[in-house]
Amino acid sequence: MSAGSQKVGQLEPAFIAAGSPADVTHELFLAFFELKRRYVMDDLRPNAVEGGRFSEAAFRLLQWLSGGAFTPIGKTLPSVPKLMTTIEQSGHTSESVRLHIPRTLRLIYDIRNKRDAAHLADGIDPNLQDATLIVANASWVLAEFVRHFLKSTPNDAHVAIEQLVARDLPVIQEFNGYPRLLKDLKASDHVMVLLYWAGRPVTLNELSGWLVPKMRANLKRTVQGLSEKHLTHLDGQEVHLTHPGGRYVVEAGLLQPV
């Protein structure tokens, strides 16, 4: 397990130590890690259900943050519009608690309740796009809770947030911090997928360590070739993925598993 993964694994007890209700916190993390597990296993259809379960736990945590009382696990929550109004009017000092998190949860919740993941109304399967949206937004919500509960330990919070918001791609499986690409791609496409997965600038040295040995010798030449096509930007020793580069990764189907 990488250092970042260890930090994420320690979040539940850290939340509880900071005062978060234990049963709600446990449900929040149980739902979050289950939806992430299903996503990376390419088991996408139940992801909407788990997104709703995550949202219900997160709304309970917002209730607690807003006034101390929350709907017990197993009891039906008020309607989402009523929840949002109550939380917004609570007077909590954080706009994230009052506004941003509830609105993000509403989006996740609506995907669960108002979208039939099995219905192909226009002939296009929505499961991957829905699952990607849910995982990204749930990760952002949890990262916001990390900022609230771990504000006394900013370094730990930073590591955990960075790990939470990293992209989860079915085409990559991480082993002790090493991102193993689970399909055969040419060197340039391999680099592009790694940059997309990282979601941040990556040093040449770090990128080299992620590549299979036969691709390492010509890495700088590979990156320079991608930069000439405006897919990457090389800034000293740091490699950035450009906007056209991100579109290329998606549109070329590089993220699809074998």
Side-chain angles (χ1 to χ4, degrees):
M1 182 180 291
S2 67
S5 299
Q6 287 176 332
K7 294 295 184 187
V8 171
Q10 294 166 5
L11 287 178
E12 182 177 338
F15 276 34
I16 294 170
S20 180
D23 55 347
V24 175
T25 304
H26 179 66
E27 182 68 16
L28 181 79
F29 281 94
L30 201 64
F32 177 75
F33 286 117
E34 178 64 9
L35 73 88
K36 296 256 287 190
R37 183 189 69 82
R38 289 183 183 276
Y39 184 78
V40 299
M41 294 298 292
D42 205 26
D43 183 9
L44 303 179
R45 293 178 66 180
N47 214 64
V49 175
E50 286 302 322
R53 179 182 172 192
F54 173 84
S55 295
E56 289 174 2
F59 268 126
R60 285 179 167 87
L61 189 50
L62 289 174
Q63 285 180 314
W64 177 78
L65 286 170
S66 300
F70 60 89
T71 305
I73 300 291
K75 299 291 185 179
T76 302
L77 282 165
S79 68
V80 171
K82 186 175 180 179
L83 277 169
M84 294 177 69
T85 299
T86 302
I87 293 166
E88 182 175 348
Q89 295 177 352
S90 68
H92 196 284
T93 57
S94 168
E95 285 194 351
S96 185
V97 169
R98 288 190 298 106
L99 300 174
H100 306 320
I101 295 176
R103 291 172 182 177
T104 304
L105 292 174
R106 174 66 184 265
L107 177 60
I108 299 173
Y109 205 84
D110 283 352
I111 290 290
R112 196 278 299 268
N113 284 346
K114 298 182 180 180
R115 178 124 151 163
D116 184 354
H119 180 56
L120 305 183
D122 52 9
I124 301 173
D125 188 342
N127 291 335
L128 178 59
Q129 70 192 56
D130 287 356
T132 302
L133 179 147
I134 288 168
V135 168
N137 282 276
S139 298
W140 181 88
V141 166
L142 194 53
E144 285 296 287
F145 283 138
V146 168
R147 291 178 62 237
H148 178 84
F149 286 110
L150 273 65
K151 56 189 173 186
S152 63
T153 53
N155 290 337
D156 288 349
H158 177 76
V159 172
I161 289 170
E162 188 176 76
Q163 192 71 17
L164 283 169
V165 299
R167 291 182 171 94
D168 291 292
L169 306 180
V171 75
I172 285 181
Q173 186 172 357
E174 189 176 350
F175 298 92
N176 294 321
Y178 174 78
R180 167 73 186 273
L181 190 63
L182 303 178
K183 63 192 293 186
D184 292 329
L185 293 175
K186 61 184 180 180
S188 58
D189 285 348
H190 196 135
V191 167
M192 293 294 289
V193 172
L194 289 173
L195 290 172
Y196 187 92
W197 168 80
R200 58 175 173 81
V202 178
T203 66
L204 285 169
N205 187 56
E206 188 176 16
L207 192 54
S208 177
W210 291 345
L211 289 170
V212 294
K214 65 180 181 180
M215 296 180 180
R216 293 172 183 168
N218 296 317
L219 172 59
K220 192 165 185 178
R221 182 185 303 171
T222 299
V223 170
Q224 288 171 336
L226 291 168
S227 294
E228 290 172 2
K229 298 177 182 178
H230 310 295
L231 301 178
T232 65
H233 172 69
L234 184 59
D235 182 10
Q237 292 297 306
E238 280 193 337
V239 186
H240 301 249
L241 186 68
T242 64
H243 296 319
R247 289 195 297 271
Y248 168 78
V249 171
V250 174
E251 293 171 1
L254 303 183
L255 304 180
Q256 298 301 317
V258 176

